[in-house]
Amino acid sequence: MQSWRTWHRPLVLFAASMVVMSVVGAVGVLVDDRVVAGAAIWAKPFKFAVSFVAYALALAWMLTLLTRGRRIGWWAGAVVALACAGEMVIITGQVIRGKRSHFNHATPFDSMLYEAMAATVVVLWAGTLVIALLLLRARIADRASAWAVRSGVLIALVGAGFGFLMAQPSAGQRAAGGLDTADVVGAHSVGVPDGGPSMPLTGWSTTGGDLRVPHFIGMHALQVLPLFLLALILLAPRVARLRDPRVRLRLVLVASGAYAAVVALVTWQALRGQPLSHPDGVTLAAAGLILAATAAGALAALRPHASAPSAPAQNKELVP
């Protein structure tokens, strides 16, 4: 059993700082009544801090699984931690100034800060890509653990990549012209301006599409799929079929496919300018197909195997 003390230290320290920052952000939401782009000004640093805690800790653990390229992995993790920290410094600094951080070109200084933040996102994505490639080469003994980790990090890369779509001018901004002198270039929402009616807590648009939905869901595959396997392992002593590592592998494959399908569905929904909270019939039909396919896959994965082991299987790769 691996101790958390063996996890990547810079990422763990960054996660700890984000725990503190999430508390600061929560207090800010409660006591600071300023609003930017239709949302409480401290909502963005709060949400980013919470998300970064989960993201950093997942990568910090995954780096302990590397069997080759450990030094490269350590440096990639350190680069990710620094890039994330840089992004949070800019976001928080803009909150203190009472300005929006994303897509802000109102002044040369705001534009410089946004471009610097965009650069940190590119560095973060590239560092995560390096870690993903190293994990693809790692010799992880348990195949279910290997699939959970690799699928999680690859889907997370896709989710993170949606940030690049948000940085592009929206259809309304292109139609208005004057992009070289516009105060805001880029948007979260599709089909409606940013800052309109939104869902509580998440801030996702309720009147149009929102690219933050696939961005969020995709990035957190990094935690969800390994945690799904961990749940299977913990249930194995009580559920006989889960004691078979082949059954767990099949269930992880089904979960990975279902998760990727959900990311594709919410991306398609957002790009059509449709809010997550108001799906149309076509979206619901596609969701039903994904649900039916997942249920059928899970039932097939749980089929009994003649040579299934009777004793609980130990998984030293996944459990930290």
Side-chain angles (χ1 to χ4, degrees):
M1 180 179 292
Q2 291 178 332
S3 167
W4 67 269
R5 296 179 187 277
T6 66
W7 294 12
H8 189 273
R9 188 171 296 258
L11 283 168
V12 170
L13 291 175
F14 170 71
S17 71
M18 288 301 99
V19 171
V20 176
M21 190 62 220
S22 65
V23 175
V24 173
V27 172
V29 169
L30 294 175
V31 303
D32 192 337
D33 59 1
R34 290 179 297 168
V35 173
V36 169
I41 196 167
W42 283 96
K44 187 178 290 291
F46 170 74
K47 291 187 291 186
F48 268 69
V50 172
S51 182
F52 275 146
V53 170
Y55 192 80
L57 289 179
L59 282 182
W61 163 67
M62 287 181 178
L63 284 167
T64 66
L65 303 178
L66 295 183
T67 55
R68 291 183 288 182
R70 285 181 175 271
R71 183 178 294 274
I72 296 174
W74 189 94
W75 281 107
V79 166
V80 169
L82 286 173
C84 292
E87 185 172 6
M88 280 302 299
V89 166
I90 296 172
I91 289 172
T92 307
Q94 288 292 72
V95 166
I96 294 171
R97 296 179 65 232
K99 307 289 186 180
R100 68 183 295 164
S101 52
H102 287 70
F103 321 129
N104 189 352
H105 295 275
T107 69
F109 183 67
D110 289 321
S111 183
M112 180 192 70
L113 289 178
Y114 174 61
E115 289 171 3
M117 186 169 59
T120 67
V121 173
V122 173
V123 172
L124 186 161
W125 193 89
T128 305
L129 175 62
V130 171
I131 294 171
L133 293 174
L134 291 173
L135 286 169
L136 289 175
R137 298 180 62 218
R139 296 176 180 174
I140 302 175
D142 181 74
R143 293 179 65 199
S145 297
W147 270 99
V149 168
R150 292 164 181 166
S151 298
V153 73
L154 290 175
I155 295 173
L157 277 170
V158 174
F162 291 121
F164 301 118
L165 286 181
M166 298 182 216
Q168 302 302 310
S170 67
Q173 291 166 351
R174 287 195 295 269
L179 294 177
D180 292 338
T181 57
D183 289 349
V184 176
V185 178
H188 300 125
S189 302
V190 178
V192 295
D194 280 350
S198 61
M199 297 172 63
L201 189 60
T202 63
W204 298 337
S205 176
T206 56
T207 56
D210 200 314
L211 290 168
R212 288 174 295 184
V213 178
H215 181 62
F216 176 87
I217 294 175
M219 284 190 68
H220 290 290
L222 197 69
Q223 299 89 41
V224 173
L225 292 175
L227 285 174
F228 173 73
L229 176 57
L230 181 58
L232 297 181
I233 293 168
L234 294 176
L235 288 171
R238 297 177 182 173
V239 182
R241 291 186 187 179
L242 296 182
R243 298 171 192 169
D244 187 347
R246 290 163 293 189
V247 171
R248 294 199 298 269
L249 172 61
R250 292 195 292 263
L251 286 172
V252 166
L253 291 174
V254 171
S256 299
Y259 202 101
V262 169
V263 172
L265 175 62
V266 296
T267 303
W268 179 55
Q269 183 181 13
L271 290 174
R272 288 187 294 135
Q274 185 181 113
L276 180 70
S277 55
H278 297 90
D280 62 10
V282 176
T283 301
L284 289 174
L289 289 174
I290 293 172
L291 182 61
T294 302
L299 289 173
L302 286 168
R303 68 183 185 274
H305 196 283
S307 59
S310 58
Q314 297 297 319
N315 188 316
K316 297 182 179 179
E317 293 292 342
L318 184 70
V319 182

